[in-house]
Amino acid sequence: MKFSRREWLRLASSVGVAQFLAPQSAFTQPQTQSAQAAQPLFLEIPPSASHIDWVHENAISPSRYLPEALGPGCAFLDFDNDGWMDIFLVNSGPSDFWQPPASKPVRNALYKNNRDGTFTDVTEKAGVSGAYFGMGIAVGDFDNDDWPDMFVTAYGKCILYKNNRDATFSDVTDKAGVATSGWTTSAVWFDYDNDGKLDLFVCSFVDYSGVKKLECGNNQIGRNYYCVPRVFKPTASFLYHNNGNGTFTEVSKGTAIAKGLGKGLGVVASDINNDGWMDLFVANDTVQNFLFVNRGPAPNGRWKWDEIALQAGVGFSDTGRPRSGMGVDAADLNGNGWQDLFVANVDHEMFSVYENNKDETFRDAAQAHGVARATKLLSGWGLKYLDYDNDGAVDLFLANGHPDDMIDNYSMQVKYKEPLLLFHQGEDRRLHDVSATAGPIFQKDFAARGLAVGDYDNDGALDILIGMNGGAPLLLKNNAAKGNNWLGLRLEGVTCNRDAIGARILWKAAGKLRQRLRTSGGSYLSSHDPREILGIGAATQVDELEIRWPAPSKRVDKFTNVVSNRYLHIREGQTSL
């Protein structure tokens, strides 16, 4: 009998010899093998312990309507400003192809952090149960009042929830002018024009309008299956400018954003050319990805955006074919001060690690990092570049699952439920797959979709929240950072946007200088802990800390000899340590 590599690793793990079958992880793993055996890097927290008993309803039907397969998103946010991360979970809802039964109401869920590892459902009191077939969530302080607001995308109508600062929210969608209809997926808050107010970009997926939804026929087992998105027409995404008075104006018309007809699923806002303007990388399904580069104000009064994905090398595969882009992210992977990109695709397409060439072009280094080989038979959704062990280097977490729930019946290689993957960056600055020795959760399979990262227990280690299609969410506690030191920052802009999106953080500890750009968005349908955790490894303090606030501020705040292993609230130009 022929075993796959993953089956061999499972077998080996059961007899205690997995380290010999995965030599790459032996020298990149942040803990000793004995420590791994005693403590998994990420520990699954069951609903009985967290008190999170919500389950996603995907409304699956014999007709296999495509929106059933794509959700849900999730988020970490501190909605009540008590310093502890709460959780928001997006659910489906009424639509033109499905109505929830009266006996089984379907709603989103907002869980308050009880500060003891448990959560309390406060959805109804907060007024955020939803009204449409929800997809994703983007969290941001759009009105600069220091309280996080929520934008929920949907197949149907989006909802903007304004935080009332009393543990409740108000639906201000129509008043704000962001009642985007159609089929929206990921969204991102960022300040594209550097006026100090967060603007909003919303990904639009395919045109799924019409009374009769397109049926693609029967599969190999005689049942309807989910249509491949290439059979649907592409649509344009939306950019909304924040007017500063609680309203927004759509400003994408006449720009490259409106001309870029795509099938957007994931988006991240970052500065790919270090010019001080935030750009957008959009993952599209079955058509080319988009890289919208922000060129600033144009003479005609419009904002200038250039779509350069083709010439940048991030639009298509190396063979020039469009892929099924889903999750995306951006980070300075190799520590050279330039933002690198990531995009996850469907099985047999492989995922891409795009390293920045510093000239608005990228090279795909997925093969060199081992990511291409590890993801060949997987379909990726939620993902994040993160420093999971607080050694200061960027690592990677991937959540996977095939979109076709019947794929197991007619494929020998590809499965519907798929494993999570964890990559650790070694001293060679390469990502190494350490999933086989990271703990029991990486030996399970999931129908994963959205993924959010956040420190829900305030121990300085980033935990993981994953939304499951048609199932309960997965909460993972981070044990991998024990033994390494850290510094947590809550940045508050004053002249710049309150969330300090676009700020650049530099920190030096034990002679090592590192830097990070505060990006926004990333992953898939999800939103992350707004705090920044700076890993410093064995160093006992941060010798030098520098915050370069984004425009219109451009102020630089500097601190020295900062005590580690705590969270700091740093207000632009007004904090002394």
Side-chain angles (χ1 to χ4, degrees), residues 293-439:
V293 175
N294 187 343
R295 302 298 188 191
N300 62 4
R302 298 182 185 272
W303 208 259
K304 175 66 172 174
W305 295 90
D306 284 343
E307 200 293 292
I308 67 165
L310 178 60
Q311 55 266 45
V314 299
F316 297 93
S317 70
D318 287 343
T319 59
R321 296 182 178 182
R323 294 186 284 186
S324 301
M326 295 180 283
V328 295
D329 203 18
D332 181 5
L333 180 60
N334 48 23
N336 65 359
W338 293 77
Q339 291 288 290
D340 307 298
L341 304 175
F342 191 97
V343 61
N345 303 297
V346 81
D347 63 277
H348 290 90
E349 293 181 345
M350 293 176 287
F351 304 178
S352 289
V353 180
Y354 288 120
E355 294 186 349
N356 197 320
N357 294 325
K358 308 179 185 179
D359 59 0
E360 296 191 357
T361 69
F362 294 79
R363 61 188 177 277
D364 191 347
Q367 292 284 359
H369 286 282
V371 171
R373 179 184 63 181
T375 61
K376 182 178 180 180
L377 299 179
L378 302 180
S379 299
W381 303 84
L383 57 92
K384 201 75 180 77
Y385 276 134
L386 76 164
D387 178 12
Y388 73 80
D389 59 346
N390 283 343
D391 67 352
V394 176
D395 311 306
L396 175 67
F397 199 110
L398 301 176
N400 310 294
H402 199 275
D404 183 357
D405 66 319
M406 292 180 284
I407 191 71
D408 302 57
N409 295 307
Y410 48 87
S411 174
M412 296 295 293
Q413 294 181 308
V414 179
K415 304 299 180 184
Y416 174 59
K417 292 186 177 181
E418 298 177 346
L420 309 172
L421 290 181
L422 183 67
F423 291 83
H424 181 258
Q425 185 172 164
E427 294 182 2
D428 58 356
R429 294 199 171 183
R430 295 295 185 190
L431 294 171
H432 299 274
D433 185 358
V434 298
S435 312
T437 53

Side-chain angles (χ1 to χ4, degrees), residues 455-475:
D455 180 12
Y456 79 87
D457 52 2
N458 280 351
D459 66 352
L462 285 171
D463 309 300
I464 306 290
L465 177 67
I466 303 174
M468 300 295 170
N469 185 257
L474 179 65
L475 180 62

